[in-house]
Amino acid sequence: MANIPELPHEAARLQALLDLNILDTPPEERFDAITRKAQAEFKCKTVLISLIAEDRQWFKSRQGLDKRETPRNISFCTYAIAEEEYLIVPDTHQDFRFKNNKLVKGEPFIRSYAGVILYSTEGYEMGTFCLLHDKVKHYDEQDIQRIKHYAKIVEQELVLSEEFGRQ
């Protein structure tokens, strides 16, 4: 896999993520309900709310995946947070960044990826709301707008978490 992209404001981004006080917290139904609904709507194998920490991606909610985290250096979401708004990879076997990734070649056999950035209230990239398929998947503009809508709902829930953490 190619070198992972680094954000110019990485230290501030990581601090904003830590300030959420959400990493390594137990599953919460309000997040799980969102990922379950998206999994059914998009008929995909896996839906994740992925938060990108310094050396790992941690899943606040996950449907279709047993792991609670993966190393950041194999994370698709690390690439997504370096994009403008989202990252769509219709066929991982055709993308030089991912075709040799162990998550493509082995479990969970990711064949396509769609991830929309989750932003903090300060505008930092916290992670992604993402869909993983085990077959090639093309997304049209309507699909992308629907995924963005789910990401906005997750951001609102993260803001509630942040506000609750300050009390």
Side-chain angles (χ1 to χ4, degrees):
M1 191 158 152
N3 292 331
I4 61 173
E6 291 189 24
L7 300 174
H9 52 273
E10 184 70 4
R13 185 193 77 75
L14 288 170
Q15 188 58 55
L17 177 60
L18 293 174
D19 289 347
L20 283 177
N21 292 314
I22 200 165
L23 288 175
D24 302 312
T25 57
E28 294 179 60
E29 177 56 27
R30 62 193 174 120
F31 291 107
D32 292 344
I34 297 166
T35 53
R36 277 194 309 272
K37 183 168 175 28
Q39 185 182 38
E41 182 176 339
F42 288 97
K43 297 175 179 53
C44 58
K45 182 177 180 181
T46 305
V47 178
L48 304 168
I49 296 172
S50 174
L51 301 172
I52 306 299
E54 185 173 7
D55 59 355
R56 65 188 171 128
Q57 76 173 338
W58 178 78
F59 308 123
K60 179 57 186 168
S61 179
R62 66 200 193 288
Q63 302 301 321
L65 187 68
D66 291 333
K67 299 176 186 202
R68 292 289 299 161
E69 64 182 51
T70 63
R72 184 173 176 181
N73 67 344
I74 63 170
S75 165
F76 284 64
C77 299
T78 292
Y79 285 88
I81 66 170
E83 296 292 325
E84 290 291 320
E85 283 183 79
Y86 60 86
L87 174 65
I88 305 291
V89 181
D91 186 353
T92 58
H93 294 186
Q94 302 302 315
D95 191 305
F96 75 94
R97 297 169 294 183
F98 306 114
K99 66 183 180 181
N100 294 317
N101 185 302
K102 72 181 199 176
L103 300 174
V104 171
K105 293 189 163 285
E107 276 295 326
F109 297 102
I110 300 169
R111 188 66 190 264
S112 72
Y113 171 91
V116 173
I117 299 173
L118 299 171
Y119 293 97
S120 70
T121 54
E122 300 90 2
Y124 293 115
E125 305 86 349
M126 299 290 96
T128 66
F129 180 82
C130 61
L131 310 177
L132 311 175
H133 290 268
D134 56 359
K135 59 185 178 247
V136 173
K137 172 73 174 152
H138 295 277
Y139 293 91
D140 62 24
E141 188 57 36
Q142 185 179 24
D143 293 329
I144 294 168
Q145 291 306 316
R146 289 176 18 231
I147 300 167
K148 285 180 178 181
H149 177 73
Y150 278 103
K152 287 294 178 202
I153 294 168
V154 172
E155 286 175 348
Q156 291 168 352
E157 292 299 325
L158 289 172
V159 166
L160 291 174
S161 295
E162 184 177 27
E163 291 171 356
F164 181 73
R166 287 189 201 141
Q167 295 177 357

